[in-house]
Amino acid sequence: MLQRYSSRRGSLYTDFLQQRLTGAQRYDRIAGYFQSSLLELAAEELAAIARVRIVCNTEVNAEDVKTVRMATGPRRRELEESLLRLAWNAGQFTHLVDVHGRAAQERLKILYQLLTASGRDGRLFEIRIVPDAEFGFVHGKGGVIEGPSRATSFIGSANDSARAWTRNYELVWEDDHPESVLWMQQEFDALWEKGFPLSEFIVKQIGRLSRRTVLDHIGPWQENPQPEPLLAEVPTTTELFGFWDHQKYFINLAFKEHLKYRQDSRRGARFLLGDGVGLGKTLQLGALAKLIGTLDDLPILIVAPKPLLAQWQEELLLKLAVPSARWENGGWLTERDEFHPALPDRLTNCPRKIGIVSTSVITSAPLSRRNQELTEQLLAKRYACVIWDEAHKIRRANLAPGNVYKPPEKKRLYRFAEQLAAQTKTMLLATATPVQLHPMELWDLLAILSVHNPQVLGSPNSFWRRADSPEIFDIVAGREDVGQLYDKWQYWRNPLAAPLDAATEVFDWIRGDLGLALTDDLATNADLDRLDPSRSFDLDFLTLREVNPFTQWVIKRSRERLENEGKLVRIEMVAFGDGQPILCSHSMEQAFELAEDFAKALHQRIKAGGFIKTLLQRRVGSSLAAGLKTTRKMLAGRLLEVEDDPDDDAQSIYPLTDEEKALLQRLEEHLVRHLEREEDPKFERVREILALDFEGLSWLERGVLIFTQFYDSAYALAEYLVKHLDQPIGLYTNSSASKLFADGKIQSINRELLKEKVVQGRLKLLIGTDAASTGLNLQKLGCLINLDLPWNPTLLEQRKGRVQRGTLAKRIPFYNMRYDKGAELKLFETLSGRIQEITAIFGTIPDFIVDQWVTDMLNDKQWDENTVLTVIADRERNPFSVKETTESLDADWDATAEVLNQADALRVLLATW
């Protein structure tokens, strides 16, 4: 029998829903977008029904759904969990709880109880989410209710919300005819079959939000500080993919160490984070900056190479909701792009708790009075925490085999870092390549961390401070074994190892035996005889290679190991075009030769770093437009925006000689003539790549991210492509320089809007510079093009690392563009065939290989494969590797119910220096 209901004529809930659910045995419901507010009305009825199944709809990427469907077994469950996390985050449930308060929490509590009770006492309560990639937006709503005597079906406009069933104008048609019931059941079953069961993460989040309480003020948190209340609802967790376990492990470890020394003004956490590319070093260190900055009154200083400053500032804001200010052009630039000029007598008037400064400020201090004053003022301050990124650039000068065991000849960064270490409680260094020429480099970093912190290398007479011979390095590398317990104790007692993980718990018991506090770091020879026999037994089975300052204070994880253990998803980068360089015309060859001649002329005159002298070569190789603009800047004697930091020997290239000016004038004329005749060859190749097919779709259809080192190249490429493609093009770079090329116009645009367009699928082509390419949601951009090859191949790995992330396994095609002539090709040919071999030994391409290549090229010394093999052979004769850190984590951040008011935390971080 067909019955019609209108909310205008009566209560849909009272007249229909409540009556049909009371005493029902089964309820199958197509709910559209499921909302828990239904339970406010029907909780008792639903709890009494033996079998409830609800299917609802969500928006997820079709490619991601395809990836999940192709997987099987545990892998399938893992990918489903990741996919549904994206769906949960898109629902902004935390925000809904904030808006609706206690009423929403009560509904979530009922829902959580129903979900977790499912499967007991013969009752089932299940929800599945069907992606709109299967049927489109599920706007149709209906269901089947099976009562004691009959089944009935209904179709209507009502969503599953209290408002829909009690207040909105809605229509519902009920039909209990067997054919109608069967028809509706078939519709439900089709959607149910394609739906994903609610993941463990979502069920846990429903429970968390139902119990959620907010600490309104930071005072109670500061009394008992833990990471979870402050980090549980940062954007990384509520909008992105959450913290991975290896990230939580280090954040928790370092924060506990910081708290251990809370009463000591000079000591704190001291770690070197040596994770591989793409494992989120910035996120981990940024989370610690937020924790320590919220806890302590003292400021926080972040030191990083100039190209990474904007990346640091953006990642802090977008992933952790942390404000900061970076030193830029004589003042401080905040996350809101507000410029605060430095005061003449106080350059360190940083307007945020966290300040970010470039290493180039330190290295160029002898050339700049202002930079010299800034470095002096920085060293005069006290800090709660100092974070130093790309710390391998802190090195001694004497690393040659004959001099390496002599006292260090400290370069400028080394001296500054050592002085800075004395001014901070916690110090965290980060680099994926801590050992490049010799393991002494890693010891030097530990020596810097040990300033005022004897837990790192012990007292001055510690065995671990004996870096005047290979002995300690042979022990750590496993080439020398110390087997007797008494002999091992000589190393372990000074410093007494810290109980950081399960492998070193025995040292916690040892401190108990000896009556030592956690912050006591020294024991005596005689103390060995005072140990409980069980401790001595445990120590007998430990080796110095397992527990030493290198394994204690260097945290090192590789992506390969984490993927193999199932802790990270495998994201495969698929190379295209490695055998197809761009053919170089005679005109291009001449441009390269003129740029090379200019570099060699500079090399003969000044001592500046090789990367400064070869800047013009690299920009000509990137794009003709970048080469031309740089040539004109040099002719005008204007300051260059150098993407690479100068080294310790940096100096100005000005004034130019007459010969150098003549070379620049010839190059300028040549580039102008070339661009008048034809387009840039690299731009032409980009057009071809965009039309390539990959797994059934063109690159452009999949969405493309194009990287370049230089803004001039990015802008010129966007100008070129907009003439040939009927597509909007985004230019994603620092602050106000971001643009949108669309509808015949070029307009400045907020970077957040660019990202939103990418997420919504309305922008398929994004060109970005290296300094501003983080934080992008690449779910809709599935291809990568490198317009230029950085002369340090490590940067290529970092670019891949920025897209080789996320929680869904995928294959990402990438294309490295280069010419078949010139310096770019020489480097590619020299290193490409041996990259795997080199990275197997070094972990990545060490800077020193490229530094040496640049120097030899400027001196007309030829490199070939044998040169690289010689370098590798020298390194293989002295292998040194620090054991990987195996992470363990007990805390369940996803279940955190008590959270700190983010507005109050923000207020603290907005404090000035």
Side-chain angles (χ1 to χ4, degrees), residues 411-427:
K411 290 189 171 186
R412 190 169 291 113
L413 289 181
Y414 194 129
R415 295 194 301 273
F416 184 86
E418 198 171 44
Q419 293 173 274
L420 195 59
Q423 296 298 110
T424 183
K425 284 177 60 65
T426 283
M427 189 173 203

Side-chain angles (χ1 to χ4, degrees), residues 78-79 82-83 86 241 244 569 571 779 805-809:
E78 177 188 342
L79 293 177
S82 301
L83 188 74
L86 294 174
F241 304 110
W244 293 326
V569 296
I571 300 176
Q779 295 300 305
R805 59 185 64 214
T807 59
L808 290 176

Side-chain angles (χ1 to χ4, degrees), residues 299-310 312-313 316 324-333 342 347-365 370-379 381 383 385-390 413 416 420 645 913:
I300 291 175
L301 174 64
I302 297 173
V303 182
K306 187 175 181 180
L308 302 182
L309 298 196
W312 260 100
Q313 190 169 46
L316 284 172
S324 63
R326 70 179 196 261
W327 178 262
E328 191 89 29
N329 298 324
W332 298 92
L333 189 66
L347 301 181
T348 54
N349 62 325
C350 181
R352 298 287 186 265
K353 174 74 77 73
I354 298 173
I356 312 172
V357 175
S358 167
T359 49
S360 63
V361 168
I362 304 157
T363 56
S364 64
R370 185 174 59 193
N371 285 355
Q372 180 67 39
E373 291 175 350
L374 177 60
T375 57
E376 290 172 357
Q377 291 181 31
L378 288 172
L379 290 175
K381 295 193 71 67
Y383 302 95
C385 176
V386 167
I387 294 170
W388 194 306
D389 200 3
E390 301 295 316
L413 289 181
F416 184 86
L420 195 59
D645 270 345
W913 284 17

Side-chain angles (χ1 to χ4, degrees), residues 8 11 20 23 93-94 146 232 246 254 276 410 481 521 531 654 660 687 806 813 836 856 906:
R8 184 178 63 83
S11 167
R20 297 296 178 267
F93 287 94
T94 304
E146 184 177 324
H246 74 274
K410 301 172 183 178
D481 182 38
D521 305 298
L531 299 183
Y654 301 119
E660 292 159 359
R687 278 181 65 198
Q836 293 304 316
D856 287 351
L906 178 64

Side-chain angles (χ1 to χ4, degrees), residues 61 754-763 777-778 780:
N61 186 272
L754 277 180
K755 283 188 277 190
E756 187 174 346
K757 285 178 176 289
V758 170
V759 171
Q760 297 298 327
R762 302 187 63 81
L763 189 61
N777 185 336
L778 295 176
K780 299 277 179 85

Side-chain angles (χ1 to χ4, degrees), residues 879-895:
F880 180 84
S881 62
V882 177
K883 293 183 66 177
E884 278 207 34
T885 306
T886 303
E887 57 286 323
S888 59
L889 188 73
D890 296 328
D892 186 356
W893 291 18
D894 292 338

Side-chain angles (χ1 to χ4, degrees), residues 384-539:
C385 176
V386 167
I387 294 170
W388 194 306
D389 200 3
E390 301 295 316
H392 60 273
K393 295 181 182 294
I394 304 170
R395 56 167 68 128
R396 61 172 69 190
N398 55 315
L399 285 170
N403 298 317
V404 71
Y405 295 115
K406 295 179 179 179
E409 297 172 17
K410 301 172 183 178
K411 290 189 171 186
R412 190 169 291 113
L413 289 181
Y414 194 129
R415 295 194 301 273
F416 184 86
E418 198 171 44
Q419 293 173 274
L420 195 59
Q423 296 298 110
T424 183
K425 284 177 60 65
T426 283
M427 189 173 203
L428 306 170
L429 308 179
T431 172
T433 55
V435 177
Q436 301 201 39
L437 278 172
H438 193 277
M440 185 65 77
E441 294 167 283
L442 183 52
W443 185 90
D444 282 337
L445 296 178
L446 290 180
I448 288 168
L449 290 176
S450 73
V451 174
H452 295 328
N453 282 260
Q455 74 270 24
V456 181
L457 287 177
S459 67
N461 61 352
S462 164
F463 281 19
W464 295 110
R465 293 203 180 264
R466 297 178 179 178
D468 55 357
S469 75
E471 183 179 354
I472 59 173
F473 304 110
D474 289 339
I475 291 172
V476 176
R479 291 190 295 272
E480 184 174 319
D481 182 38
V482 179
Q484 296 299 315
L485 177 55
Y486 177 81
D487 295 329
K488 291 191 289 186
W489 181 250
Q490 305 312 304
Y491 288 89
W492 278 332
R493 70 176 182 83
N494 186 5
L496 193 59
L500 300 179
D501 52 35
T504 54
E505 279 182 352
V506 63
F507 291 97
D508 200 8
W509 293 103
I510 286 171
R511 280 180 165 81
D513 290 347
L514 300 178
L516 298 175
L518 269 178
T519 54
D520 291 332
D521 305 298
L522 304 178
T524 67
N525 280 338
D527 285 337
L528 181 61
D529 298 326
R530 298 172 54 203
L531 299 183
D532 185 287
S534 63
R535 316 296 182 240
S536 301
F537 181 79
D538 289 338
L539 291 178

Side-chain angles (χ1 to χ4, degrees), residues 102 105 208-209 211-215 233 897-900:
R102 176 56 56 185
Q105 285 190 289
R208 182 184 82 82
L209 290 179
R211 307 186 308 274
R212 179 174 178 260
T213 59
V214 179
L215 295 171
E233 293 181 357
E898 185 179 68
V899 297
L900 182 60

